[in-house]
Amino acid sequence: DYTNSMGGTTGAAHGACIGGKKGVGVIGDSAFMHSGIPGLINMVNNGSKATIIIFDNLATAMTGRQPNPATGMTIDGRKTKRILIEEICRACGVEDVVIVDPYNLEECQKAIKKAVMSEEISVVIARRECALLPGINYGRAKVDAQKCNLCMDCINKIGCPAISQNEDRIAIDEKCIGCMICSQLCPEGAI
């Protein structure tokens, strides 16, 4: 388990497979486009069994949400042809490519578990536009105090900075981006 940056994920995940182990790498859309593709080609060429999870959020999130080839925008804000990550992966020779919505926990868990259990190289693309992009507004989650039993799953299972416990109730503040992951975890349906 280690951290790598700016596209080194694909090569590192392949290296983790040496000796018959299963490597799993996580990479953003921008890093994949800028330097992750050669590693993916090398993985396919050498029969890697790794799983690569690509966060496709239509922005270069690490450095300020700039466009990249996967966004369909030029650096100066003009629309251009969007390069689809799944097409690049398939062109590199990966046959097992799945696209999921990262805000759908059940769908993500199933796809990632299947990919990791696979004996072939696999790619899971978690596609959802960055909530911090201009014009994106998913609303805000709210807590129904009558249903909430303070089980703390919403706090303990995801660690969302918008959720806190205030005395005898759970509160969701203005940091909430409306992903609604907390509502998927609440056993009481209180969010």
Side-chain angles (χ1 to χ4, degrees):
D1 182 14
Y2 61 96
T3 302
N4 203 353
S5 66
M6 288 310 294
T9 298
T10 51
H14 175 57
C17 291
I18 295 171
K21 296 181 179 183
K22 180 69 176 193
V24 178
V26 177
I27 188 169
D29 51 355
S30 178
F32 177 76
M33 287 294 187
H34 289 108
S35 54
I37 297 169
L40 186 65
I41 292 169
N42 186 53
M43 292 170 71
V44 171
N45 185 59
N46 288 289
S48 179
K49 296 179 180 181
T51 294
I52 301 297
I53 302 169
I54 304 172
F55 295 119
D56 185 6
N57 64 357
L58 298 175
T60 305
M62 180 174 68
T63 58
R65 301 182 303 275
Q66 300 89 343
N68 66 64
T71 66
M73 297 294 287
T74 64
I75 195 70
D76 59 359
R78 290 179 289 117
K79 286 191 175 194
T80 188
K81 179 171 177 55
R82 181 174 175 207
I83 308 299
L84 295 174
I85 292 171
E86 60 272 24
E87 291 179 3
I88 295 290
C89 293
R90 289 185 184 109
C92 290
V94 179
E95 294 177 13
D96 185 1
V97 178
V98 176
I99 302 167
V100 296
D101 179 351
Y103 289 0
N104 183 327
L105 293 181
E106 186 177 337
E107 176 186 36
C108 280
Q109 288 172 341
K110 284 181 183 177
I112 291 169
K113 185 174 183 176
K114 181 177 180 235
V116 170
M117 299 304 290
S118 173
E119 288 297 316
E120 303 297 324
I121 186 172
S122 55
V123 172
V124 176
I125 301 169
R127 180 172 288 151
R128 174 64 81 113
E129 62 275 342
C130 176
L132 301 177
L133 287 172
I136 304 297
N137 182 354
Y138 297 125
R140 192 162 116 196
K142 294 179 176 43
V143 178
D144 181 339
Q146 301 299 317
K147 292 182 180 179
C148 180
N149 67 0
L150 292 172
C151 72
M152 306 300 281
D153 280 359
C154 58
I155 291 176
N156 297 331
K157 289 187 176 180
I158 59 174
C160 176
I163 305 173
S164 62
Q165 181 181 6
N166 296 339
E167 298 175 22
D168 62 344
R169 65 183 184 89
I170 299 296
I172 299 177
D173 67 27
E174 69 279 349
K175 291 185 288 293
C176 176
I177 61 168
C179 72
M180 303 308 288
I181 290 174
C182 55
S183 70
Q184 295 174 61
L185 293 173
C186 181
E188 302 300 320
I191 300 175

